[in-house]
Amino acid sequence: MGKAVHIEPKELSLIRICLSFVFALVVFPSNIKAIVILIFAFVLIYFALKNGMIINKQYFFVQALFYFTILATLLYSENLSYAFRKLQTMSSLIVFPLLFSFFSNRFKKDLLENRYRYIQVYIITVFLFNVFVFLFFWWNYFSFKDMLIHMPEIVNVRLGKYNIHPIYISMHCALALLFSAVVLVKCKSPGTKIGMVLIMPVLLAFLMIYARKGPLIALTGTIFLTSFLFIKRNYRIFGFFTFLLILVLIFTVPNTKDRFKELFTKEDLTGENVNSTDLRQAIYKEAIGLIQRSPVFGYGIGDYNDKLKQSYKVKDLTLLLEKNYNAHNQYLSSWLIGGLISFLTLVFLLGRNFVLSIKNKNDLLFLVLTFYMIVMFTENILEREDGVIFFSFFLNYFALLNYRPLAEK
């Protein structure tokens, strides 16, 4: 742990501001996100060195272990240019464990006291991003009805450096919705409660507009599990009511209803009505086949995607090859990259933090981990910048709350 040192109020205030900007990363363009993180890193490390703090080596090693196992696969990767690009994309998995390992007890205490303020920054920025984009294109280009149809395409291809895949903005909406429920319960300010009550239906509406199965399944699964483990018995009925409400919306709103119908239909990849479920089933079959051929070491961070593409080519899966689909499952992908070792280190990272979140009644970490662990069954979130930055940031920020005196309520 860090040494007991005196930290000037101005220093603490500057770190708070920088941390707030990291929570607001959703509203920054892709070329600015890294700069925001670098400024936060510079300020944090500067004050850490200035005040004589030392790194929490155990925390850093445990939280960054998965990245180290991926890094080790460079030893048997042939496509090094692709390997270094992927390692750079996934660098948040080592950057945030390093940064948060510099936090002294005084910084951690401040985290505990202000965590609901920080997540309100995230909630508001996710809300504003969606609302602003919707209103701008509604007023200038489309009718309201057309916006309900084209919003997923707009955020994906028409925002320039603000482009974000509908799946990832759906993840933000779902997490912001979960955080909003926590703020609604924990915060005593009437204004804050009213704000959350107004924001939550809007976030849910955008989730229905984007109609992405993975985030919706993860959201309902997280609400269901949280209702058992974290919601007090006399409030549990509200958790189950919310769970049922979202299920009803999923199967009655046309966008989501059509999406979930795909789960019960089967189409050959050469057919005209191929859907995302059909594609994923074909991808998983190829990925599992590759894992069976090299189960212990995998294929390396440089070559795993090439091996997957070769498999598509051999099986004449033209549609998968043309669009260069990845494994669409983080667990399978980690096994493809580093074999059984990298798969087990990923499970260890998630499982250890998950158990600690329950043991220490760390509801925010529990929400984040449960949501992402479910999403990982359908997406390679650690291999996309929009996924890995927020996963690693939230994981390492909320993981600090497991350590005493932070776990004391």
Side-chain angles (χ1 to χ4, degrees):
M1 304 298 289
K3 295 177 181 178
V5 295
H6 174 70
I7 300 171
E8 295 292 336
K10 290 182 180 179
E11 297 177 355
L12 203 53
S13 295
L14 185 55
I15 290 175
R16 288 172 184 166
I17 292 170
C18 292
L19 187 57
S20 296
F21 277 114
V22 180
F23 270 94
L25 278 177
V26 172
V27 296
F28 287 98
S30 57
N31 58 328
I32 302 298
K33 284 183 171 68
I35 296 174
V36 173
I37 295 171
L38 283 173
I39 292 172
F40 170 63
F42 174 80
V43 170
L44 182 62
I45 294 173
Y46 171 77
F47 288 131
L49 296 174
K50 178 177 177 288
N51 289 295
M53 300 174 197
I54 59 173
I55 188 172
N56 184 341
K57 297 183 181 66
Q58 180 183 1
Y59 175 87
F60 170 63
F61 179 75
V62 170
Q63 295 295 102
L65 182 60
F66 176 65
Y67 189 85
F68 288 134
T69 61
I70 298 299
L71 189 64
T73 68
L74 277 174
L75 295 173
Y76 51 91
S77 292
E78 294 182 6
N79 189 346
L80 292 181
S81 62
Y82 182 82
F84 286 118
R85 287 201 306 272
K86 274 299 173 184
L87 287 169
Q88 181 180 3
T89 299
M90 300 171 72
S91 60
S92 295
L93 294 172
I94 193 170
V95 169
F96 285 116
L98 177 62
L99 293 180
F100 285 112
S101 68
F102 278 106
F103 270 69
S104 69
N105 285 332
R106 178 66 188 93
F107 284 159
K108 291 177 187 177
K109 187 174 184 295
D110 189 70
L111 286 180
L112 177 63
E113 294 170 348
N114 292 287
R115 63 191 185 277
Y116 299 122
R117 293 193 181 110
Y118 291 130
I119 64 174
Q120 284 178 62
V121 172
Y122 175 73
I123 294 165
I124 292 169
T125 51
V126 172
F127 170 80
L128 290 177
F129 177 89
N130 284 281
V131 170
F132 179 81
V133 170
F134 188 93
L135 293 178
F136 178 82
F137 281 88
W138 176 28
W139 286 338
N140 292 284
Y141 299 102
F142 297 103
S143 68
F144 184 84
K145 183 179 179 180
D146 287 338
M147 281 302 303
L148 298 179
I149 298 170
H150 296 298
M151 185 68 176
E153 178 189 355
I154 288 169
V155 298
N156 194 28
V157 300
R158 300 194 60 169
L159 299 182
K161 293 188 181 298
Y162 289 93
N163 282 346
I164 181 170
H165 194 283
I167 286 177
Y168 289 92
I169 191 61
S170 293
M171 291 183 198
H172 287 309
C173 288
L175 282 171
L177 193 59
L178 292 168
F179 290 159
S180 299
V182 174
V183 173
L184 183 64
V185 172
K186 299 287 187 179
C187 291
K188 297 179 180 179
S189 168
T192 300
K193 289 181 179 291
I194 292 171
M196 294 302 105
V197 169
L198 294 175
I199 285 175
M200 290 171 73
V202 178
L203 293 172
L204 184 57
F206 278 111
L207 270 172
M208 296 301 149
I209 292 171
Y210 295 125
R212 287 319 190 252
K213 296 191 295 293
L216 281 169
I217 291 171
L219 174 64
T220 52
T222 302
I223 292 172
F224 185 78
L225 289 174
T226 305
S227 298
F228 275 113
L229 295 174
F230 281 94
I231 298 179
K232 294 179 181 179
R233 187 170 298 177
N234 51 336
Y235 291 112
R236 195 166 290 169
I237 185 66
F238 294 106
F240 289 124
F241 173 78
T242 305
F243 168 76
L244 292 174
L245 173 63
I246 295 176
L247 281 183
V248 169
L249 289 173
I250 285 173
F251 290 103
T252 55
V253 174
N255 279 4
T256 55
K257 182 175 68 174
D258 291 341
R259 284 275 181 174
F260 277 81
K261 278 183 179 179
E262 297 174 359
L263 295 173
F264 308 101
T265 60
K266 177 67 178 176
E267 181 77 24
D268 188 84
L269 290 190
T270 58
E272 296 181 356
N273 299 313
V274 177
N275 57 55
S276 60
T277 303
D278 297 324
L279 292 172
R280 280 177 169 79
Q281 288 177 349
I283 292 168
Y284 298 160
K285 182 178 179 181
E286 297 308 309
I288 291 171
L290 286 171
I291 288 171
Q292 290 173 340
R293 295 187 200 113
S294 183
V296 179
F297 297 106
Y299 299 93
I301 185 64
D303 302 340
Y304 77 105
N305 201 47
D306 290 338
K307 293 293 183 180
L308 201 54
K309 287 191 290 185
Q310 288 174 13
S311 182
Y312 298 156
K313 188 174 183 179
V314 169
K315 299 291 182 64
D316 199 25
L317 300 173
T318 307
L319 184 60
L320 300 182
L321 189 60
E322 287 177 351
K323 296 193 176 183
N324 193 25
Y325 282 107
N326 59 32
H328 276 284
N329 182 305
Q330 192 61 65
Y331 304 105
L332 293 180
S333 188
S334 67
W335 207 319
L336 284 171
I337 294 170
L340 184 62
I341 296 173
S342 64
F343 171 76
L344 290 178
T345 54
L346 176 61
V347 171
F348 171 75
L349 172 67
L350 298 171
R352 180 180 183 275
N353 283 284
F354 184 78
V355 170
L356 287 174
S357 73
I358 297 174
K359 179 181 177 181
N360 294 310
K361 298 181 180 179
N362 188 341
D363 51 355
L364 291 169
L365 180 60
F366 179 85
L367 289 175
V368 166
L369 276 172
T370 305
F371 179 81
Y372 277 123
M373 285 193 296
I374 297 173
V375 168
M376 283 182 185
F377 282 103
T378 58
E379 296 299 327
N380 290 24
I381 64 169
L382 304 186
E383 296 159 44
R384 289 281 297 265
E385 184 180 84
D386 289 325
V388 69
I389 288 176
F390 288 92
F391 167 81
S392 186
F393 174 63
F394 287 144
L395 170 65
N396 289 285
Y397 172 81
F398 294 127
L400 284 180
L401 304 178
N402 288 329
Y403 294 89
R404 296 184 184 280
L406 298 174
E408 296 172 1
K409 298 294 187 286

